[in-house]
Each structure stands twice: as structure tokens, then as C-alpha cells.
Amino acid sequence: MTKAFSLDGKAALVTGSSQGIGLAFATGLHDSGARVVCHGLTGRPATLPDWAGYLSADLCAPDAPASLVAQAFALEPGLDTLICNAGSFFDVPFLEMTRQLWDKTVALNQAATYFTAQAFAKRLVQEKRGGSIVITSSTNGLQAEMDSTAYDASKGALVMLTKSLAVSLADHGIRVNGIAPGLIKTPLTQSLVHAGDTSVREHYEKKILLRRLGAPEDVAGAAVFLSSDAASYITGETIIVDGGLTTWQIGRL
């Protein structure tokens, strides 16, 4: 059964993989045998490993998802795995939210994921090949957070999109699954991790069953598993990777 977890011979595009969870996904896929194309908003980071292919694109632009996928296939014609990880947080308190920030959230977190997955699936269907798509949502798609209305809504949409695309693509041999990370140490959570007032972090550490914030590497295994043949009978599912954060209501006092 060990070989079922290998990604030897597979090739993957990981969006939003210049840093943080996306880079951990890319590294995990590479370490398991896959060829990997990474993606970021700007030029190739100097810290990106030599094994990684790299493409830059602003996925909020209407034509960018299809263009990115086409470029990725040009680099790796055998591409059969897509990790839709690009996303960000632009929220302000609900009563101060603007249409511009809402639209920016939807454009990156929802629309970019949707149309990147569509372009990828179109290519596989055209070539009559199966494959795997993994969508990064969040525990925010399952439980609400203060002053996070647009982000929460966008991540909740991705949980349902995972199911809907699984239905749409099953007959083409394309599996679609999701990962919902909890509180992970990334550039988006730097202010929490390094804040002078540690009370908020300590609160979360009490709420998390495993008593610590996650590292990007803690999430990578789920992406490797869902991309591998070990998950060949799994589609439409979202795996929560949160150290037990969403498992209990109250947490330690």
C-alpha cells in the first residue's frame, strides 16, 4: 500500500505557492515525487527551491486563470494535479465594508479558484485524462470569525464549490477535494504570532486540542494524500486540518 501514497510521475500546479501554506503544499508534493509548478503574484522569489517551476500572475484579472493554466501546461504537458490555494484576506468590520473590498475578496478567493479549475479541467477532458483538484478553503468556511464577513463567505463558498465540482467532473475521471486549514503560522497571521500582547494567541492555544498554532508543513500531508492514488476513491470531501480547533465549543479555561 505504500506506493499508493507516491506521486511519482505526477505533475502539479500549485497556485499561491510562493510562501506559506502553498509553498508547503508544493514542497510536500515534490518530496513525494511530483514535478511542481509554483505560482505567485510577482516575480520568482529568490528563496524558491531550484526544483520548482514558477509562473507569476494576478489571478484577479479576468483572463489570468486560463492564461496561467495554459502556461503551466506548456511547462509540464503531463500536468494532472491542481492545488487551488491562492487567496487572501481583505476584511474590515462589516459596517465599514466596501464594495471594492468585497469584490476583491470574491475575485481572488472564489472566481480565481473557479476559473483556474475550469481551465485545468477543460484541458484534461480535451486530452481524455483524469486528474485531481484540491481546493484550499478554511475553517472560516465552517465557523464564523469576528470582522471576517467577506473572507468567511468566500471560504464557505469554496467548501460547496468542492462538492459541486466533484459532481460535475466525476464522469471525466477528475476528483475534487478540499482542505480547510485552521490557525496556521503564515504571513497572514504574523500579527497574531508576533504580537506584543500574547493573550489572543494564548486563547487560541487553549482552544486548539493540540495546544499549538499549526505550521504550514502540518497541512501539506493532506494535499499529498488527496493528490495520490491512496485517495482514488475520495471526491467531494474537505479535510479539516486545525489541530482540533473546531472540535469542541468552549476550550480550556
Side-chain angles (χ1 to χ4, degrees), residues 15-225:
T15 69
S17 52
S18 61
Q19 60 183 353
I21 291 175
L23 180 56
F25 284 160
T27 302
L29 295 176
H30 166 76
D31 290 347
S32 297
R35 304 182 306 280
V36 182
V37 178
C38 292
H39 154 262
L41 181 61
T42 57
R44 182 185 181 102
T47 55
L48 198 68
D50 292 340
W51 51 256
Y54 186 78
L55 297 168
S56 61
D58 179 357
L59 291 178
C60 289
D63 297 333
S67 176
L68 175 66
V69 170
Q71 292 177 68
F73 271 102
L75 286 178
E76 287 288 352
L79 208 67
D80 57 8
T81 303
L82 171 65
I83 312 291
C84 289
N85 178 72
S88 195
F89 179 91
F90 309 111
D91 272 80
V92 293
F94 173 61
L95 297 181
E96 302 170 21
M97 193 66 178
T98 65
R99 182 59 182 264
Q100 181 182 19
L101 289 174
W102 168 268
D103 287 346
K104 187 175 182 179
T105 301
V106 171
L108 180 58
N109 293 2
Q110 289 177 236
T113 295
Y114 185 99
F115 287 105
T116 302
Q118 183 193 61
F120 174 76
K122 280 183 175 181
R123 179 66 175 258
L124 291 188
V125 170
Q126 177 186 344
E127 297 179 357
K128 295 181 169 54
R129 295 193 292 123
S132 171
I133 298 173
V134 177
I135 294 173
T136 303
S137 56
S138 170
T139 51
N140 285 66
L142 307 169
Q143 295 184 334
E145 184 175 347
M146 181 67 73
D147 296 334
S148 186
T149 54
Y151 183 81
D152 291 356
S154 71
K155 292 299 185 176
L158 293 182
V159 174
M160 181 49 68
L161 180 63
T162 298
K163 294 179 179 294
S164 188
L165 293 187
V167 173
S168 297
L169 296 174
D171 287 346
H172 297 290
I174 301 172
R175 297 183 299 106
V176 186
N177 290 292
I179 298 174
L183 191 53
I184 308 297
K185 298 176 187 175
T186 70
L188 282 179
T189 61
Q190 286 299 307
S191 60
L192 172 61
V193 175
H194 297 296
D197 179 3
T198 62
S199 60
V200 175
R201 187 183 76 239
E202 290 168 355
H203 165 74
Y204 279 111
E205 289 172 343
K206 288 180 180 179
K207 181 74 166 62
I208 296 168
L209 284 174
L210 298 186
R211 296 178 179 267
R212 65 177 177 85
L213 276 63
E217 294 75 19
D218 291 322
V219 191
V224 172
F225 167 63

